Amino acid sequence: MFDLLKGLGVDVSGFDRWGLAFPGLEGAWPWIMLAAALAAGVAWTWSSVKEVTGASRIGLAILQTLILVLLLGIFARPVIRLGKASKIKDRVVVLLDESESMGLPSGDPELTRLEAARKFIDKNEGFFDDLEKKYAVSYFGFDLAVRERGRDQWPDSPEGSGTDLLSALSRSGGGASPLAGVVIVSDGADTERIGRAARDKVKAGVKRALEGFPAPVNSVSLGGASDQADLSIVKAARDDYGFVHNPFQVVVRVRSEGGAADRVPVIFKQGAKTLASKTVVIPPGETEAEAELSFTPRQVGEFMFSVEVPAVKGELTERNNVVRFPLKVLRDKVRVLFIVGNPSWDERFLRRALKKNPSVDLVSFYILREHWDDYEARQQEVSLIAFPTDELFTEELNSFDLVIWQNFRGPFYMYGKYEEYMSNLYSFVRERGGALLMIGGQRGYFGDGRLDPKLLDLLPVVPVNDVPNYEEGEFKARLTEAGKRHPIMEVGEGGDDPSAAWAAMPELEGYNRVAGPAPDSVVLLEHPFEKEGENPLPILAVREVGEGRVMAVMTDESWAWNFAAVGEGLSNKPYQRFWENSIRWLLRDPELRRVTLGSDKGQVAPGEPVTLVLEVLDDGYQPTDGATPKIEVIESPAEDAEQKPELEKIGVGKYRVTIAPAAQGGYRLRASATLNGRSLGYDDALIESSRDNREWIDVSPRPDVLAAIAAAAGGGSISFRDGTGALEFKDTGEEIITGTMDLPLWDNWPTFGLSFSLMVACWYLRRKWGLR
């Protein structure tokens, strides 16, 4: 064609492509008009030729068809379009893994995987120079995201929290110019779609994922051999909540790569305290095994736990040898140990009130005969069992939340070990956070100095040494000023003033005389006229002792608030509410705390700030500015032990504190307050600082994954130590037209002359044959 055009005198220099084009047919309307004209022309031809016969019909049909074609061709405006083509520069994408596992040792012990990747690029500088001359080369870093880099702009340390190889490849496939190839430099430790697929399944899975990928994918494997030793905890499956006195289980899956160990001790810990341990045996030919560990929480609250496996010599990292998690321990049942000196109406009504509460698990013991009772039957014929003091005050004590001691003369039933048992009870309250409720009666608050000093140190009252100390006489217990604001005494309907409810309570018929309240105690009910010195005699007092709480009731006549109230036509609901409130307060129900500390979030990333709010109430459970609050970090990772949060006042009895945990691990903040030199209690908030980082679940290099990717996409797979000769790239051969010139075929005298001659010939023949 170019030779013909040159012969016709057309200058075709600079053009190397030609083709036919029809500018007149661009758009929808020209085609519609062309179709209509063609239909009209066919109808005209048919109507003409049917009036003649023989050779005349054939000749006329050919002539009219030529005219129709020529006219329609002129309508389409055909041109010879000359073009100039240029080859498109294909793209090559280089992907470098920037996830955290790239900071681990490579096959070269002196280099991290990221440093090995840099060394590979530097060592093959000439290869990459040539690549950039031939292709448009783009460099990207990737982890769970993809970000553009320069050839020399890699980060100093990898920080990505995961690796998604297939996502990085899919994002590299799109672009304005065709893709000639991809080079992916990684350790192959994918955390997403490939994950830890078994090696025999990797090839098939990758092949499906990369089916139809437009270019070869080449892989450069880092990290050395796939059998490098590493011991890790893959997962620690557990519930979000635990329940006190109920076994809590953690199922731990352990992985041992590269022959790190075939017998792995798994340790379940709370802080530095070991709760349980078990040795996991890795079966021959396997890399993973599970262990189930359990412990029974003895205290309500929020705590930081961990499961750990020991480090082994030469393993890749120890960061995946421990999994930490916070656990909130709740109560599903309140275990109450109820020890009664002898059956009574008060015991009967209190036990009934406790059993009405479905959350109370009640264990009761009654003393039906005294040790001095004279009975004629032989010991083995007496059906009553001996009081199991040793079991209750040594083995079982810590399984209870509350101990009720009603009208009980303890020393007479604890021969030889009374001091040991009282020491255990003391620790149960002060250190473990248990609760003690002592109720009076004829045997209550023993006189003659028989109470152990440790028990005396727990009580909110000071007993007297008189024997007996129980006095009879009717009186109506009077609510103190502190009692009017204390949650135990809110026995009326919701929001009612408790003074009216207590004023309506029936009279009691006896009380234990005591020397007065103990230091740091709060008297809630007092005798209306009996005094000890200058002060009214306490009838009900409470006290916070260390981690626990103690309540003392100096009477065993409270049953009158139920039985006598009903006899007088009053409701017995205040009696039930009184004991329910008492148990809630004794067991530190969160709604009844005077010091509360809450955070807006329980888990943050290292360096992310978290805000906590501290609220302080006085003895009457009203917000107060008279207290002295304090906030401190009592548990934190060793590398961030200098945290010193400060309180910011934001309201009456309300403070704000902000902390930004810098290290990964558990942080326990404790807020406390004192009022007039007395403690108002404390509250803890637990914050877990951690990244959602799947990189450390499995840090073993996966050259098999990279090899499968390269094979699926028709590329080469090499180690960072190898040369680049095996890397594959394709030449797409795609071109772009950079210039055109149109040579019209219709806009010239020969075309118009031929059209005119044909139309004249057709007119002449039609006239000759008598056609219109």
Side-chain angles (χ1 to χ4, degrees), residues 479 483-484 486-505 571-581 584:
L479 198 61
K484 293 177 182 178
H486 201 282
I488 289 179
M489 313 313 287
E490 294 179 358
V491 299
E493 297 297 332
D496 290 353
D497 184 352
S499 300
W502 281 100
M505 287 287 206
S571 171
N572 63 354
K573 287 183 179 180
Y575 175 82
Q576 185 73 26
R577 292 192 186 111
F578 166 71
W579 285 116
E580 288 177 354
N581 291 346
R584 291 177 61 200

Side-chain angles (χ1 to χ4, degrees), residues 400-619:
F400 294 98
D401 302 294
L402 169 63
V403 174
I404 302 177
W405 200 326
Q406 181 170 16
N407 196 23
F408 178 56
R409 197 182 298 268
F412 295 111
Y413 304 94
M414 303 179 181
Y415 311 111
K417 292 189 176 182
Y418 180 57
E419 293 182 0
E420 178 187 342
Y421 297 153
M422 291 304 98
S423 179
N424 292 343
L425 184 63
Y426 181 84
S427 298
F428 167 77
V429 175
R430 181 174 285 276
E431 298 173 10
R432 199 187 74 76
L436 173 64
L437 168 60
M438 184 170 281
I439 302 174
Q442 296 289 347
R443 297 174 175 79
Y445 302 97
F446 326 110
D448 201 17
R450 289 193 177 99
L451 287 178
D452 185 85
K454 287 189 175 294
L455 180 58
L456 287 174
D457 192 42
L458 295 176
L459 294 177
V461 294
V462 179
V464 296
N465 288 331
D466 299 339
V467 179
N469 61 39
Y470 192 80
E471 301 182 13
E472 296 183 352
E474 294 184 353
F475 70 97
K476 180 170 288 194
R478 183 171 62 197
L479 198 61
T480 65
E481 287 301 315
K484 293 177 182 178
R485 300 183 299 274
H486 201 282
I488 289 179
M489 313 313 287
E490 294 179 358
V491 299
E493 297 297 332
D496 290 353
D497 184 352
S499 300
W502 281 100
M505 287 287 206
E507 294 180 332
L508 305 177
E509 296 185 356
Y511 60 92
N512 290 89
R513 180 173 290 277
V514 294
D520 300 334
S521 64
V522 179
V523 177
L524 305 181
L525 286 176
E526 61 188 13
H527 202 288
F529 47 84
E530 289 290 340
K531 294 187 177 182
E532 187 65 36
E534 297 297 323
N535 299 315
L537 194 68
I539 299 300
L540 190 156
V542 294
R543 185 184 184 191
E544 299 202 25
V545 185
E547 301 289 321
R549 288 178 170 178
V550 183
M551 176 174 169
V553 181
M554 272 61 71
T555 181
D556 67 345
E557 296 289 333
S558 67
W559 66 280
W561 295 336
N562 185 328
F563 186 78
V566 173
E568 295 174 8
L570 302 173
S571 171
N572 63 354
K573 287 183 179 180
Y575 175 82
Q576 185 73 26
R577 292 192 186 111
F578 166 71
W579 285 116
E580 288 177 354
N581 291 346
S582 298
I583 293 173
R584 291 177 61 200
W585 182 85
L586 284 165
L587 298 180
R588 294 186 179 274
D589 187 306
E591 295 182 4
L592 302 184
R593 287 180 179 152
R594 287 178 294 178
V595 177
T596 57
L597 181 66
S599 62
D600 57 353
K601 57 185 105 173
Q603 181 176 5
V604 295
E608 180 183 353
V610 57
T611 300
L612 302 96
V613 174
L614 166 64
E615 295 186 73
V616 181
L617 307 178
D618 60 17
D619 292 332

Side-chain angles (χ1 to χ4, degrees), residues 6 165 186 273 448 567 631 675 679 683:
K6 288 179 182 178
L165 294 169
S186 172
K273 179 182 178 183
D448 201 17
I631 185 80
L675 181 63
S679 172
D683 192 17

Side-chain angles (χ1 to χ4, degrees), residues 271-282:
K273 179 182 178 183
T274 298
L275 303 173
S277 64
K278 184 175 290 187
T279 297
V280 177
V281 178
I282 308 293

Side-chain angles (χ1 to χ4, degrees), residues 195-239:
R196 278 301 303 181
R199 284 171 167 76
D200 58 349
K201 295 183 179 179
V202 165
K203 187 173 182 180
V206 169
K207 186 176 181 180
R208 288 193 300 271
L210 293 179
E211 188 174 3
F213 195 78
V217 176
N218 303 282
S219 65
V220 180
S221 175
L222 306 166
S226 60
D227 59 351
Q228 284 183 276
D230 187 63
L231 198 60
S232 64
I233 295 177
V234 178
K235 68 175 181 178
R238 76 276 176 186
D239 293 330

